[in-house]
Amino acid sequence: MPAVDDILFSRRRAERFAQLLDEANGGRRHHVRSRIDDQLAPLVAVGQRLAAERPTVEVDPEFRTGLRAMLLATAEREGLGTPAAATAAGPAGQRATTGSGKGSLLPAVTARRARARGAILVGVAAGAIAVSGISAASENAVPGDALYGMKRSTERAQLALASSDISRGQLFLDFARTRLGEAAELRGDHDGFSAVLDDMDADTRQGVRLLTTAAVQRADAAGLDTVNTFVAGQRRAVNDLLAGAARDDRDRTRESLALLDAVRERSDALRAAIGCDLPVPVASDTLGPTPATCPADR
């Protein structure tokens, strides 16, 4: 069961996203700034780009059906479409009144809330379809392609909406896998190849740091299992880049292999530290906590 604070924060984030999306499309500006605006900005930018450059992609019929069912269920649960008089009535059919007894303000309040909830549903649906459409259209884009900027904006939007550090860590590792696929397409273009591997290594470090930190803080090696699975598959694929590569590209590829070896060593050291109940490490670096060595008698 999600915590109350998480539910409230998710609802506020959805409401603020609906406001920002409305403002971006020329709606009334709200004279208030939220601390989550910067997190939601990439997703709003995706919506604006989608309006300007609509990708010619057919959305999966199963996705449409599932989204429609979700929206209808949410509308029913939230009371959207219910007449104001019905929602304003109390258990005995009586209407709530103001302190002065001059009538009820509840129908107006209910109507405003219904409109706001409707805007949130539309915003969430538009965002989901936008992300789905852009992801499909830009899936195979590489640096230099017209849709590559959209591809990276979609990734930033996914990070902004991730619910935890573990989710963000897993996303960063997914992005590192994506960068690897792009690097394979750019072999022979040393500058582009090297730049994509730089991005891949940066995504690897960020994902590993988030997952190792969560593992240590929770004294739970599950995050380390995710890291090790990633390293095993990623190292094989990176090693494949060496075949037939120019000398400069081989040298750059070996740097990424060395990083993956360092990640595996850090993961194993943290697993051992968790196993022998060492205190949570204070020191850290780009790969996360740096653990002490377990005593020999343990």
Side-chain angles (χ1 to χ4, degrees):
M1 189 76 180
V4 173
D5 288 345
D6 291 340
I7 295 173
L8 290 175
F9 182 71
S10 296
R11 179 172 296 178
R12 288 170 186 156
R13 181 156 55 180
E15 290 174 348
R16 184 55 180 160
F17 170 66
Q19 290 177 350
L20 291 174
L21 196 62
D22 186 49
E23 291 176 7
N25 291 324
R28 181 177 65 84
R29 287 200 166 275
H30 299 76
H31 299 288
V32 62
R33 179 168 176 78
S34 168
R35 63 181 183 179
I36 61 174
D37 284 4
D38 291 339
Q39 297 176 6
L40 296 174
L43 186 57
V44 175
V46 167
Q48 290 178 294
R49 289 188 182 185
L50 181 65
E53 302 179 41
R54 297 180 182 274
T56 55
V57 175
E58 286 294 328
V59 178
D60 189 328
E62 292 185 4
F63 173 81
R64 288 182 181 275
T65 302
L67 180 61
R68 182 177 183 276
M70 179 197 74
L71 293 176
L72 289 175
T74 304
E76 183 178 355
R77 185 175 63 250
E78 297 290 343
L80 298 180
T82 303
T87 57
Q94 297 179 341
R95 295 165 62 90
T97 59
T98 62
S100 59
K102 294 183 179 180
S104 173
L105 296 179
L106 190 55
V109 173
T110 302
R112 284 198 300 272
R113 287 180 178 172
R115 287 195 297 272
R117 289 171 178 167
I120 292 170
L121 285 176
V122 171
V124 171
I129 293 173
V131 170
S132 175
I134 290 174
S135 295
S138 62
E139 188 176 67
N140 298 318
V142 297
D145 291 349
L147 289 176
Y148 191 71
M150 288 187 178
K151 181 179 184 178
R152 299 303 294 266
S153 292
T154 301
E155 292 176 354
R156 289 191 291 271
Q158 289 177 273
L159 288 170
L161 295 176
S163 60
S164 68
D165 283 347
I166 292 177
S167 297
R168 279 186 284 275
Q170 293 170 336
L171 280 173
F172 273 119
L173 296 188
D174 286 341
F175 299 157
R177 294 184 182 99
T178 300
R179 302 289 85 79
L180 176 57
E182 295 166 1
E185 295 292 326
L186 292 172
R187 282 190 291 187
D189 172 9
H190 176 68
D191 290 341
F193 180 81
S194 182
V196 169
L197 288 188
D198 287 345
D199 287 346
M200 180 186 76
D201 290 350
D203 288 337
T204 296
R205 291 188 184 95
Q206 293 196 69
V208 168
R209 179 175 54 81
L210 288 167
L211 290 170
T212 55
T213 300
V216 168
Q217 290 176 344
R218 300 178 180 208
D220 182 356
L224 303 180
D225 293 338
T226 300
V227 169
N228 288 357
T229 299
F230 164 78
V231 169
Q234 190 82 342
R235 199 184 192 292
R236 285 193 299 269
V238 172
N239 194 63
D240 289 343
L241 295 178
L242 294 172
R247 179 177 177 179
D248 287 346
D249 287 352
R250 285 201 307 271
D251 291 343
R252 178 60 191 82
T253 300
R254 289 190 180 102
E255 293 178 19
S256 294
L257 288 172
L259 171 62
L260 292 171
D261 291 341
V263 168
R264 182 56 192 255
E265 291 177 7
R266 176 62 57 82
S267 176
D268 290 345
L270 288 171
R271 188 184 300 275
I274 292 173
C276 62
D277 296 325
L278 287 180
V280 175
V282 175
S284 65
D285 57 18
T286 57
L287 299 182
T290 54
T293 304
C294 291
D297 59 349
R298 295 178 123 179

